[in-house]
Amino acid sequence: MILEGEDHSLVKLICQKIGKLIHSKNNVNMNLPTRNGVNPPTTTTQNLPLPPPPTKMRHMLPTISSLKNFLPALTFLVAFATVMTVLVIHMNNTATRHHQFLVNMSRDNEFLGVAQDNPELITYIREVHLSPAVEPHHKPLETLGPFPTEDTAYIIKLLNNKKEGIFVEAGAYSDGKVSKTEYLEKRMSWHGLLIQPEPTHYFKLKRHNRGRSLAIHACLSSTPYPKEITFHQEDRDGVKINQIHTNTVEDPDWFNTRVKCFPFYSLLLAMNISSVDLFILESGGTELQVLQTIPFDRVSIDIINVQIQANDSEKDTIKKFLISKNYTFTQSFNSNHVFRLKHSQV
């Protein structure tokens, strides 16, 4: 069919419009309206990167075997970090506890509310601290000579060679070797209580197998109530009780341990006795304070052998105190001073 005139022009115009429409569709994306009426941004298809082929994508992803090879290293790093964290926390806590321990070691605990005749205290001493003065698991130590010490021989004469007497010896085996009452027990059938606060000497005390007597690892309290103190020992100065250096917490030259101290009267009650034939007192400088805790109206002590290493004024003070308690001074042997009760009965 042949188009003429206006029909031919109309067909030509339509063809031009269709050609332009096809050309624009090949170069740009049509901006299609969304449901909300917002047109998405247009992008040219020529600038978009082509996706890699499937084989190349598989090489880019980690495989199971590569993850297995990396797992031990990852586990080590996690474990190392955990251990280091725990170690740092533990070291910090240990340092804090150690410092607090040293601070506590420099303080005395005084049980002010506990009377020396408190029934619970007496039961505690009897059931926990008193024990036979023997050590069956180690070779016994034999140091008994054929004769008593000089002051013990003098006391035997004062008591007219008394058999089966009762003694309390504070500071027994202070040198680890000698006890003034060993002869009385093994040759004259005495028995009593041996007191030693120093741990090593206390262990040696029990190795002497004083089977007729009791022993206690403690010291005599300088107050009429029990207390717990720091026990200092230094090689060059020997034993010191309750003497705190200003640098105790930081001083590595001191060996410190805790020791309980009980009143003399409490120990007698724990042993169920109120009468003693011989009291030997060696307490490292607190002899006067120990004597002042004794209720002399409740107990009878026939002879007191007290070690006095203080100056002359301190010796006079102890002598005057015992004289006021109805004792008389009889004899001295170096630093040991013997006092006897004027009337043996209370």
Side-chain angles (χ1 to χ4, degrees), residues 47-275:
N47 296 330
L48 293 176
L50 296 176
T55 55
K56 188 175 181 180
M57 291 183 65
R58 284 197 296 269
H59 288 295
M60 293 174 62
L61 296 175
T63 62
I64 296 177
S65 60
S66 63
L67 290 176
K68 289 183 178 179
N69 293 333
F70 182 70
L71 186 60
L74 180 62
T75 304
F76 171 78
L77 291 176
V78 173
F80 179 77
T82 303
V83 170
M84 291 302 297
T85 302
V86 173
L87 182 61
V88 170
I89 295 174
H90 174 72
M91 291 177 64
N92 183 58
N93 292 338
T94 300
T96 302
R97 290 195 300 267
H98 179 66
H99 178 75
Q100 186 61 46
F101 171 77
L102 293 178
V103 171
N104 291 338
M105 287 287 286
S106 65
R107 298 174 179 172
D108 292 349
N109 296 325
E110 299 185 355
F111 304 95
L112 301 176
V114 181
Q116 56 183 334
D117 59 351
N118 183 288
E120 294 182 359
L121 172 63
I122 305 308
T123 302
Y124 169 71
I125 295 174
R126 182 183 299 125
E127 295 184 356
V128 177
H129 288 277
L130 292 181
S131 63
V134 295
E135 176 51 61
H137 303 294
H138 294 81
K139 182 179 179 180
L141 299 176
E142 297 293 341
T143 59
L144 179 62
F147 304 103
T149 60
E150 185 179 10
D151 51 347
T152 301
Y154 172 78
I155 292 171
I156 291 174
K157 291 181 180 180
L158 284 180
L159 296 174
N160 297 318
N161 295 312
K162 182 176 182 177
K163 304 289 185 178
E164 299 182 351
I166 299 175
F167 62 80
V168 174
E169 183 178 4
Y173 299 99
S174 290
D175 59 354
K177 299 178 181 179
V178 178
S179 167
K180 297 180 182 297
T181 60
E182 185 173 358
Y183 185 91
L184 295 173
E185 177 176 337
K186 294 187 176 182
R187 299 293 175 86
M188 304 182 70
S189 301
W190 283 46
H191 70 279
L193 175 64
L194 303 170
I195 304 171
Q196 178 53 250
E198 205 280 326
T200 304
H201 294 163
Y202 176 74
F203 176 71
K204 291 182 179 179
L205 178 158
K206 301 195 74 172
R207 289 184 62 188
H208 283 82
N209 287 340
R210 302 283 296 272
R212 294 178 58 86
S213 298
L214 297 175
I216 184 170
H217 178 213
C219 65
L220 288 177
S221 178
S222 58
T223 59
Y225 46 81
K227 59 195 304 185
E228 185 180 68
I229 67 171
T230 299
F231 187 91
H232 305 292
Q233 182 176 0
E234 192 176 20
D235 291 339
R236 62 179 180 271
D237 292 334
V239 172
K240 296 182 178 181
I241 295 179
N242 202 24
Q243 296 184 9
I244 309 298
H245 276 195
T246 56
N247 60 342
T248 298
V249 175
E250 305 296 337
D251 191 351
D253 295 333
W254 284 81
F255 169 73
N256 301 327
T257 186
R258 300 295 284 179
V259 61
K260 291 180 173 58
C261 300
F262 301 108
F264 174 81
Y265 183 54
S266 301
L267 297 178
L268 294 189
L269 294 179
M271 295 180 64
N272 293 318
I273 60 176
S274 60
S275 179

